[in-house]
Structures are given as structure tokens and as C-alpha cells.
Amino acid sequence: MNSAQLDCFLAEFELGYSFFERILGDFKSHYSLRMINKKAGGIRIIHVPSAELRWIHSRILSHFRRAKFVFPPHVQGGIVGRSPRTNASFHTGKDAVLSLDLENFFDFITFEQVQNSLEEFGCKTDLAVLFAKLVTFEGRIPQGASTSVFIANLVGLKLDEKILPITERFALDYSRYIDDISISGSFLKEDIFSQISKEIEDLGFRINFEKVKMQRKHRRQTVNNVVVNTRTNVRRKYIKHVKNDLHYCEQYGIFGHCEQLGLEQDSFVKSLAARIGYINSIDSVRGSVLIARFHALKNNSDTDIHFIEFQRKSSLN
């Protein structure tokens, strides 16, 4: 462990390699488990890193940031300046839109894939191994770590390299929002799906076939819940649900609404704020009205709540 890259990274911490050996020697104790309910049913497991490990992750992200690496335009999720709206703009006004979801994407990313991707990023082997150990948990990238979206995007580049030649051959547009793949064009042949499925499976990933959607222009087309038939717009049903939550909070208070639904108050408020921010990122006219109602709700509540802009924090740009 004596490459110039590794020595430089350790110098940033003003710590020796023994510090990381100590952390890695008792790595399980640096994660706590949280379980949250998925909207579509089931449980999502979140591994929350300790304060010490979060600090390490933040320094790793700073290391990547200084490299000034820029993801290609088709990589849209988790990057400053890119959003569901910019992702949807790739697929506006197309005859057909194919949407694919990679099932449990983070869980299928292996330690070896992380190490290999970091080496392709420019890390020497010893530094790539150290980073891979610090950003994975039990051989996978954990949901809950600040480094996971960047790492997922980095590993996903290999997937993009396999799919892009197929889409380019048929003059189709391609984008990936972390684990959501969207492909659009004036014509989509049936055998394209089988070709893409094979490339995905060959890399060790799986498609969630329940979420596969082929959307033609005579029906509503959506990408990341953004309507794309003629211009980017938020689905009416999505806005309606947010308005309903605001209405019931205005009527019965945040505590009363959460108690009625059996929801944890702090999580609900953060979710509502994020959903309003998401709408605002697509439609600032509707979003500004909802933001004003949210702030009025905050001002009339004893709960300490703050508006959260819907913008996934990026490690880069």
C-alpha cells in the first residue's frame, strides 16, 4: 500500500493506513439498519453509516470531485444540474418510449465491479481496493451511504457501453436515471428489448419485468413520472396526491393527518417537501403555489420543518 495516489489520499486525512484498518476491522458496527415501507409494497432496507464513516465517505467524494470527472449526458440521476426534467427532455415528442427498471440495482453491484470501475476511473489498484472496501458493505453498495449513487453511476457506465451501440444502430435516444433506463424514438423493433435484456443479464443485473413499459404516442408517455408526449409535465395524479396531503394537513394539522394515516411525522414532512420540490423542478408555476402552501403550513405548525429542494446531491460538477 505505497502508491503515490494512496499516500496522497492518506495525507489528506493526516492519518495512517492503520486508521482505515481499524475501521474496516469492525466495519459492521459502523452501519445501523433501517427498514422503510415501499410505496408499491414490501420493505426497503437502508444501511445508515456512522458519523465517522459518513465523514470518510464525504472525503472520498471530495477526492472524486477534485478529479473533475464529468459523466456523459445520458447519465442523468444524482448529478448537479441534471434532474427528472432534464432526463425526460431526451424523450419528449417521440413516437414510442420504452422504460426499464433494474431490479434492486444497488444489491446486484458487486465489490469486484466497484473496484474495476474505480480502476477505470483512474485509481491505482491499492487505492481502488481501499475505496471499494470503504464504500461497500458485505460486498454490495449500501442504500444509505452518500457514495452509493456516484458508485452506481460509475458501475453503470459499463452497462451503458453495452446498450448504446444497440440504440444508436436503430437511431434511438437513450438515458439512464441511476437504475431507470429510458429509450425512445420514432420506431422501436420488438427484438431491441431482447438484445438489451441479454446485455443487462450478461453483466449480472436483472430487469424488473413488472415495471417494463412500452408507451406509444397515442397514450400518455411518462419518464420518471414526467409526462413527455409534447412537453415535460408532471402527472396530474401525482400533483393531486400532493394537494390532498396539503389539504388534510391544513384541515387537521400535520400531527393529526399523520396520526390518522399511521405515519411517522418527520418522515412524512420530508417526503412531502421532496415531492413538492420535485413538482417545482418540472413546473415552477404549480410548484411555487405548493411551496407557498407548504411554508404557510410550517408557519402555522409547532413542528420544526424546513422546505427541502428536490435536487439529488451530486458528488460531482
Side-chain angles (χ1 to χ4, degrees), residues 144-156:
S146 61
T147 49
S148 291
V149 170
F150 172 80
I151 296 297
N153 274 335
L154 205 59
V155 172

Side-chain angles (χ1 to χ4, degrees), residues 183-202:
I183 301 166
S184 64
S186 47
F187 185 72
L188 286 173
K189 289 187 175 181
E190 292 181 4
D191 65 337
I192 290 175
F193 179 72
S194 61
Q195 292 179 46
I196 291 171
S197 298
K198 183 180 184 305
E199 296 295 351
I200 290 172
E201 291 168 4
D202 285 349

Side-chain angles (χ1 to χ4, degrees), residues 51-145:
E52 191 171 34
L53 191 53
R54 286 199 301 272
W55 177 73
I56 291 172
H57 286 165
S58 71
R59 299 306 295 267
I60 291 173
L61 289 175
S62 295
H63 185 84
F64 292 143
R65 195 177 295 123
R66 281 193 297 277
K68 296 182 179 179
F69 177 78
V70 178
F71 281 102
H74 64 262
V75 181
Q76 285 286 305
I79 299 173
V80 168
R82 304 180 193 182
S83 67
R85 182 186 61 78
T86 61
N87 184 45
S89 67
F90 279 72
H91 310 288
T92 303
K94 302 297 177 61
D95 284 351
V97 179
L98 175 63
S99 297
L100 307 175
D101 176 80
L102 299 177
E103 187 174 0
N104 299 324
F105 184 43
F106 284 19
D107 293 339
F108 281 91
I109 294 176
T110 66
F111 178 92
E112 289 75 18
Q113 286 174 317
V114 173
Q115 180 187 333
N116 291 339
S117 295
L118 288 169
E119 289 183 17
E120 291 182 13
F121 176 75
C123 295
K124 297 294 185 183
T125 298
D126 49 6
L127 185 60
V129 169
L130 175 60
F131 280 170
K133 287 179 178 178
L134 291 168
V135 302
T136 59
F137 181 63
E138 297 182 340
R140 309 288 171 174
I141 63 171
Q143 294 199 46

Side-chain angles (χ1 to χ4, degrees), residues 75-314:
V75 181
Q76 285 286 305
I79 299 173
V80 168
R82 304 180 193 182
S83 67
R85 182 186 61 78
T86 61
N87 184 45
S89 67
F90 279 72
H91 310 288
T92 303
K94 302 297 177 61
D95 284 351
V97 179
L98 175 63
S99 297
L100 307 175
D101 176 80
L102 299 177
E103 187 174 0
N104 299 324
F105 184 43
F106 284 19
D107 293 339
F108 281 91
I109 294 176
T110 66
F111 178 92
E112 289 75 18
Q113 286 174 317
V114 173
Q115 180 187 333
N116 291 339
S117 295
L118 288 169
E119 289 183 17
E120 291 182 13
F121 176 75
C123 295
K124 297 294 185 183
T125 298
D126 49 6
L127 185 60
V129 169
L130 175 60
F131 280 170
K133 287 179 178 178
L134 291 168
V135 302
T136 59
F137 181 63
E138 297 182 340
R140 309 288 171 174
I141 63 171
Q143 294 199 46
S146 61
T147 49
S148 291
V149 170
F150 172 80
I151 296 297
N153 274 335
L154 205 59
V155 172
L157 291 176
K158 185 64 68 176
L159 184 63
D160 301 336
E161 288 175 10
K162 297 292 186 179
I163 297 177
L164 276 168
I166 300 172
T167 58
E168 289 171 355
R169 191 160 64 247
F170 293 98
L172 301 172
D173 289 303
Y174 169 85
S175 69
R176 178 173 55 82
Y177 198 94
I178 305 175
D179 58 354
D180 291 321
I181 292 172
S182 300
I183 301 166
S184 64
S186 47
F187 185 72
L188 286 173
K189 289 187 175 181
E190 292 181 4
D191 65 337
I192 290 175
F193 179 72
S194 61
Q195 292 179 46
I196 291 171
S197 298
K198 183 180 184 305
E199 296 295 351
I200 290 172
E201 291 168 4
D202 285 349
L203 286 172
F205 300 113
R206 280 198 321 219
I207 294 173
N208 185 342
F209 287 98
E210 292 182 0
K211 294 185 177 181
V212 173
K213 293 190 296 182
M214 174 66 82
Q215 305 166 94
R216 302 288 180 179
K217 66 178 180 181
H218 59 280
R219 304 286 294 272
R220 184 177 60 196
Q221 299 168 318
T222 61
V223 172
N224 298 125
N225 280 319
V226 180
V227 179
V228 296
N229 290 74
T230 55
R231 63 184 180 88
T232 55
N233 204 356
V234 187
R235 294 177 63 180
R236 292 176 186 174
K237 187 176 181 181
Y238 190 94
I239 296 174
K240 183 180 178 180
H241 284 165
V242 171
K243 285 182 174 179
N244 284 345
D245 275 331
L246 282 170
H247 170 74
Y248 288 122
C249 286
E250 290 162 347
Q251 286 282 103
Y252 306 110
I254 297 171
F255 176 79
H257 181 48
C258 290
E259 186 177 43
Q260 180 69 26
L261 296 179
L263 300 174
E264 196 275 318
Q265 185 169 301
D266 186 57
S267 296
F268 166 77
V269 169
K270 290 178 180 177
S271 169
L272 179 59
R275 285 180 285 149
I276 292 171
Y278 167 76
I279 293 170
N280 188 58
S281 73
I282 309 295
D283 186 340
S284 60
V285 175
R286 283 193 176 99
S288 61
V289 174
L290 297 175
I291 290 171
R293 289 178 65 183
F294 184 90
H295 281 307
L297 188 67
K298 180 189 72 172
N299 293 334
N300 292 328
S301 171
D302 293 332
T303 308
D304 180 25
I305 59 180
H306 304 279
F307 179 71
I308 303 169
E309 285 286 350
F310 182 85
Q311 176 66 56
R312 290 186 184 231
K313 298 284 186 181
S314 170

